[in-house]
Amino acid sequence: MSDTTRTTRGRGALRRLARAGAALAVLVGALAGATATSGAAQAATQGPCDIYRAGGTPCVAAHSTTRALYGGYAGPLYQVRRASDQALRDIGVLSTGGYADAAAQDAFCAHTTCVITVIYDQSERHNHLTQAPGGGAAPGPDNLADATLAPTTLNGHRAYGVYVAPGTGYRNNHTSGVATGDQPEGMYAILDGTHYNGGCCFDYGNAETSSNDTGNGHMEAIYFGNIKVWGYGSGPGPWVMADLENGLFSGADTRYNANDPTVNHRYLTAMVKGAPNQWAIRAGDAQSGGLSTFYSGPRPNAAGYDPMHKEGAIILGIGGDNSKSARGTFYEGVMTAGYPSEATENAVQANIVAAGYANSPAAASGALRGAGSGKCLDVPGASGTPGLQTQINGCSGGASQTWTRTADGRLTVDVSGTTLCLDAYGGATADGTKVVTWPCNGGANQQWQFNADGSVTGVQSGRCLDVAGAGTADATPVQLWSCWGGDNQRWALG
């Protein structure tokens, strides 16, 4: 078949899909309107996959650790494994079609750490995500995500996302119903737009079934980050792009699309979809407003991408060949059979906004756990002696690891009958300044700011609470250091 014939037929198929979408516009519009009325009500009545089904492009995978993605779903969202005894626990929803039962995880994982072992597929296809095996770019198995490092809320209900540090990855190489070859598909993911890097590759979507790079056009996945080795968009990044294998693409050109802007919403809706010689990137703020189209048009102008050669595996947090140097945070995402209409996607975005994603309020008291190590900020020897440099240690739930965040920004700890404050030693502000415990005196070197990206900065210095050398061993000291976005500078209190 000639390129002209294939293009004509592909566009004809798209026109037929568009007519089908128009016929469903009233229904989809009604669904979108319903989502705007009540976030609490929508969780019990419908989800994104109900909207996709109504639009004629049903979900073939539906992954979320925060909520049900079908109004009728009452099964497990994900599974955790705790370190203390290796026991497993499925975490489900509070009610049918509702939000995650985060309290069940909190109770199960109390006084120890937990990792996410399975992210269940809520569709009838059972395309669950589990620990990624090794691949052509990196050996495996990959790391599993700490279950507590991405706290969030949905309409006030506490939940946890999937915090992907470099080396972490999930995969399913044996799926059902996922697009292969040049078949049409759509996908979206809700991500933390402030958590990214220039590593390869933080993806969610369609990949190779062998965990190896098998050539151009063998992938179709959402990418988020600011790597510029391949294609890129405008501004400094990060960008929503498509990983189509052997290239990250922002449009038809293999290098640059000025219409693909830098986006860093705290909660980001990212969408990619593809059909015969047609694909698109759309994105928006998952907390408010609609979607913008950053690209919609023919496949990239390089060999191997028209037609596509998709294989139908599903990946999260890694590249198709298990490239795993990237980081990011995932809350929910789906993959569809068929090329969704914009009307359907707009209704899905309205549903996402109505879900009410918001930052999790910092707990008043609890362990301060490091993202890079999974270990807790600790007072050596549980001693009340002033001036001891704090460290990380395995989380025990003891008093020496229980920190209270006060209204005036102090972090206090009660040890040996003494209340002490977390303190930048001597009021110093230079890189490498020891972070110690000291009698509370109200100084600015004892005030700490919790930031949306998980960092904790000293009010006086502006520098980050940092695990020295990005170490992960017990007794690694904690210090001030210039903020650079590393996982050794990200913390979760609670």
Side-chain angles (χ1 to χ4, degrees):
M1 183 185 300
S2 71
D3 289 344
T4 301
T5 302
R6 181 167 58 251
T7 300
T8 302
R9 290 185 181 179
R11 290 174 178 168
L14 289 174
R15 284 194 292 271
R16 289 191 293 274
L17 284 170
R19 287 195 293 271
L24 287 163
V26 174
L27 172 60
V28 174
L31 291 174
T35 63
T37 60
S38 169
Q42 72 86 31
T45 58
Q46 67 167 341
C49 286
D50 300 308
I51 298 171
Y52 278 116
R53 180 184 289 138
T57 51
C59 293
V60 294
H63 303 112
S64 175
T65 58
T66 61
R67 65 169 179 148
L69 300 179
Y70 292 86
Y73 187 76
L77 301 179
Y78 61 104
Q79 181 189 82
V80 295
R81 184 181 70 221
R82 64 187 178 198
S84 59
D85 60 1
Q86 301 301 300
L88 301 172
R89 172 70 183 267
D90 284 348
I91 306 300
V93 290
L94 292 168
S95 60
T96 299
Y99 306 105
D101 185 2
Q105 175 183 309
D106 292 338
F108 183 74
C109 301
H111 309 309
T112 186
T113 58
C114 279
V115 292
I116 297 172
T117 49
V118 182
I119 306 169
Y120 289 108
D121 175 16
Q122 300 174 32
S123 83
E124 65 275 11
R125 298 289 185 167
H126 307 295
N127 290 321
H128 311 313
L129 294 174
T130 56
Q131 187 173 26
D142 293 357
N143 298 330
L144 295 170
D146 187 301
T148 62
L149 291 181
T152 187
T153 60
L154 290 85
N155 285 319
H157 297 271
R158 187 170 172 82
Y160 295 97
V162 182
Y163 188 98
V164 175
T168 302
Y170 295 83
R171 194 177 196 117
N172 186 334
N173 282 339
H174 306 284
T175 62
S176 169
V178 179
T180 59
D182 210 23
Q183 292 176 334
E185 68 177 348
M187 63 195 78
Y188 83 80
I190 305 304
L191 310 172
D192 179 347
T194 69
H195 185 206
Y196 61 92
N197 69 2
C200 182
C201 289
F202 183 71
D203 291 349
Y204 173 72
N206 194 322
E208 294 97 334
T209 56
S210 64
S211 301
N212 290 289
D213 178 351
T214 52
N216 294 3
H218 283 247
M219 288 183 62
E220 186 164 65
I222 296 166
Y223 164 80
F224 183 67
N226 67 342
I227 193 170
K228 294 182 72 174
V229 173
W230 299 283
Y232 56 95
S234 62
W239 308 282
V240 177
M241 296 192 287
D243 190 340
L244 305 179
E245 191 52 277
N246 295 322
L248 301 175
F249 294 94
S250 58
D253 188 272
T254 57
R255 291 296 299 167
Y256 176 66
N257 175 14
N259 294 318
D260 190 10
T262 292
V263 285
N264 52 11
H265 304 298
R266 173 61 181 82
Y267 294 92
L268 169 70
T269 304
M271 292 183 172
V272 167
K273 57 184 176 179
N277 200 28
Q278 171 72 26
W279 71 288
I281 303 172
R282 306 188 77 203
D285 187 339
Q287 293 181 289
S288 65
L291 297 169
S292 297
T293 300
F294 299 159
Y295 176 78
S296 180
R299 291 291 184 180
N301 53 6
Y305 300 101
D306 178 31
M308 293 285 284
H309 313 280
K310 294 175 279 192
E311 297 186 24
I314 303 174
I315 54 173
L316 171 60
I318 53 177
D321 59 359
N322 199 43
S323 302
K324 55 181 181 180
S325 62
R327 62 171 175 253
T329 299
F330 173 91
Y331 299 100
E332 65 179 70
V334 312
M335 299 178 68
T336 73
Y339 194 87
S341 69
E342 289 195 357
T344 297
E345 292 171 331
N346 293 342
V348 168
Q349 167 68 357
N351 180 280
I352 291 164
V353 169
Y357 276 100
N359 288 346
S360 179
S365 181
L368 192 60
R369 180 176 287 125
S373 65
K375 295 181 177 179
C376 288
L377 185 67
D378 178 89
V379 181
S383 172
T385 302
L388 294 178
Q389 185 172 10
T390 55
Q391 61 186 17
I392 57 169
N393 220 331
C395 299
S396 65
S400 66
Q401 296 180 353
T402 302
W403 299 87
T404 297
R405 184 185 182 191
T406 67
D408 61 357
R410 292 175 294 137
L411 280 166
T412 66
V413 62
D414 295 320
V415 284
S416 302
T418 304
T419 299
L420 299 172
C421 272
L422 193 68
D423 176 287
Y425 186 68
T429 60
D431 283 348
T433 297
K434 295 179 181 179
V435 175
V436 303
T437 50
W438 196 263
C440 298
N441 57 30
N445 66 316
Q446 295 185 348
Q447 293 179 309
W448 304 90
Q449 173 68 46
F450 282 69
N451 304 305
D453 65 357
S455 63
V456 178
T457 48
V459 169
Q460 181 184 53
S461 66
R463 284 178 163 79
C464 275
L465 191 65
D466 175 283
V467 180
T472 59
D474 285 351
T476 302
V478 174
Q479 61 186 5
L480 291 181
W481 200 265
S482 299
C483 299
W484 64 280
D487 288 330
N488 66 317
Q489 296 184 344
R490 294 177 185 271
W491 305 83
L493 177 64

